Amino acid sequence: MSTPSDRPPPRVRQDPELLRRLLRAKDRMDAASHEDWPVHRLAKVSNVSEAHFARSFKDAFGVPPHRYLLTRRIERAKALLRDTEQPILDIALQTGWNSLGTFGRTFRDITGESPGELRAREQAAQHELRRVPHCFVSAAQRPGLTTAVSEKRRREADATKDAPIKSEAT
Amino acid sequence: MSQGIGVVGLYVRDQDESLDFYVGKLGFRVHTDARNGDYRWLTVQHPDQPSFQLGLFKPQAPVLDDATAQSVREIVAKGAMPPLVLNVDDCRASYDRLRALGVEFTQPPEARYGNVDANFRDPSGNGWKMIESRRN
């Protein structure tokens, strides 16, 4: 079933100094995945041109920046579904979506189940996650995204959205 | 204590830069700083933990071949080295102090599971979690 886009890209040598700055952009998305992260904002964090940013990021981390952001949002939504009793709409809005419909569709595309199904299944299970540092748990819970389908949908959804960019996290 | 782990090393981008960071900012002290040509064995230790040394090592030839050293430098810069945990008595106070010194925090202090934790990176990209634990 593998298509050409599923194959890992050829190994690219990258400058460690550049990689360290790209990591900074990734850290910023990690810290505030609910915020909007247009390429110009990420490129500024990494101190590279917009044109250079998306390509270098994908070479470094294997996914385009916005698909990476999507994995963080889904992971955070999964944690809130598992650990809280918040309504699903609140969780959608908190994790960066602007409608329940987009959230539910994207969530199902990526995880294969609806937010409600995941909540029911996770809350019935036993977890021993308290002894593991949170950053590690969250990384382990992140979905792997090998297709761009949801990303396209998200971009279409974003095109209609003009939410103000929240203040920069420190 | 006469038994236990003695040294664990980190790969770093630049040993002088790391020394400034771990000693000048985090408050570690130098245990050994020995040079042999381009090679430098540099270890630091936490003042409260004299039985343990943290090595600050550069991925370099001849210890690693050049191609491997380059790969390791890239991996370090991408933050892909294993997690590191620093225990502190007061996470919020440490955060304020270290942040004022210019330490790059990636997560401000958060309370969860009865602990308070924050994340920072060393200049090379190594990620640390700083934990104030009620269990201690």
Side-chain angles (χ1 to χ4, degrees):
Chain A
M1 283 285 290
S2 98
T3 60
S5 64
D6 287 341
R7 274 187 224 124
R11 173 100 171 76
V12 183
R13 279 262 137 114
Q14 288 184 286
D15 172 20
E17 298 286 337
L18 168 66
L19 292 169
R20 182 66 184 86
R21 297 200 311 271
L22 294 173
L23 176 61
R24 211 158 270 141
K26 186 164 169 274
D27 282 340
R28 297 290 296 278
M29 284 192 274
D30 286 345
S33 62
H34 59 285
E35 294 184 14
D36 287 336
W37 288 101
V39 170
H40 67 82
R41 189 180 176 202
L42 292 166
K44 200 173 156 197
V45 171
S46 289
N47 198 24
V48 291
S49 74
E50 286 180 41
H52 198 37
F53 178 80
R55 170 175 287 276
S56 313
F57 189 96
K58 181 163 192 283
D59 286 343
F61 300 111
V63 286
H66 285 96
R67 207 183 306 166
Y68 177 73
L69 180 65
L70 198 54
T71 68
R72 290 312 314 254
R73 288 181 174 181
I74 293 291
E75 168 251 310
R76 184 156 154 62
K78 282 167 75 178
L80 290 170
L81 289 164
R82 185 186 66 224
D83 299 338
T84 77
E85 295 301 331
Q86 290 182 50
I88 292 176
L89 174 62
D90 290 359
I91 292 175
L93 298 177
Q94 257 184 69
T95 52
W97 276 273
N98 60 355
S99 86
L100 188 58
T102 314
F103 170 64
R105 202 166 54 235
T106 313
F107 192 93
R108 183 184 274 282
D109 280 352
I110 293 173
T111 66
E113 58 191 340
S114 73
E117 286 163 355
L118 179 124
R119 168 169 273 175
R121 187 173 54 73
E122 285 285 346
Q123 291 189 346
Q126 292 289 321
H127 293 289
E128 272 294 332
L129 298 177
R130 281 162 185 268
R131 306 193 69 84
V132 184
H134 173 79
C135 49
F136 217 73
V137 174
S138 76
Q141 297 281 322
R142 214 164 297 158
L145 272 191
T146 52
T147 71
V149 176
S150 309
E151 175 71 2
K152 277 181 202 147
R153 281 193 183 166
R154 200 179 75 82
R155 256 187 262 142
E156 282 160 18
D158 280 355
T160 60
K161 150 169 127 178
D162 55 354
I165 293 174
K166 290 177 190 120
S167 62
E168 303 264 316
T170 50
Chain B
M1 189 179 69
S2 61
Q3 293 188 67
I5 297 171
V7 181
V8 173
L10 289 183
Y11 280 128
V12 299
R13 170 170 64 190
D14 178 294
Q15 287 172 306
D16 286 325
E17 177 187 61
S18 299
L19 192 59
D20 285 348
F21 181 79
Y22 283 96
V23 174
K25 291 182 177 169
L26 293 195
F28 286 51
R29 59 186 178 215
V30 175
H31 180 280
T32 306
D33 187 355
R35 293 167 195 258
N36 181 7
D38 287 340
Y39 184 74
R40 180 179 182 188
W41 174 268
L42 173 65
T43 70
V44 297
Q45 59 185 191
H46 192 282
D48 294 339
Q49 200 173 23
S51 67
F52 182 81
Q53 297 173 56
L54 182 68
L56 304 173
F57 303 134
K58 208 174 135 185
Q60 65 181 170
V63 178
L64 299 178
D65 61 86
D66 283 331
T68 305
Q70 169 64 18
S71 297
V72 173
R73 284 192 288 270
E74 292 177 19
I75 289 166
V76 171
K78 289 199 275 185
M81 298 305 278
L84 301 157
V85 173
L86 186 69
N87 293 326
V88 293
D89 291 332
D90 184 335
C91 185
R92 291 189 176 88
S94 299
Y95 170 79
D96 290 340
R97 187 174 56 77
L98 294 176
R99 194 156 170 261
L101 290 170
V103 172
E104 182 179 341
F105 276 88
T106 54
Q107 180 218 292
E110 274 181 38
R112 54 187 143 216
Y113 302 147
N115 300 331
V116 184
D117 68 68
N119 294 352
F120 64 86
R121 286 198 190 279
D122 79 1
S124 307
N126 291 304
W128 283 88
K129 184 168 278 292
M130 181 166 81
I131 300 182
E132 168 191 338
S133 175
R134 243 191 238 164
R135 291 194 300 268
N136 286 348

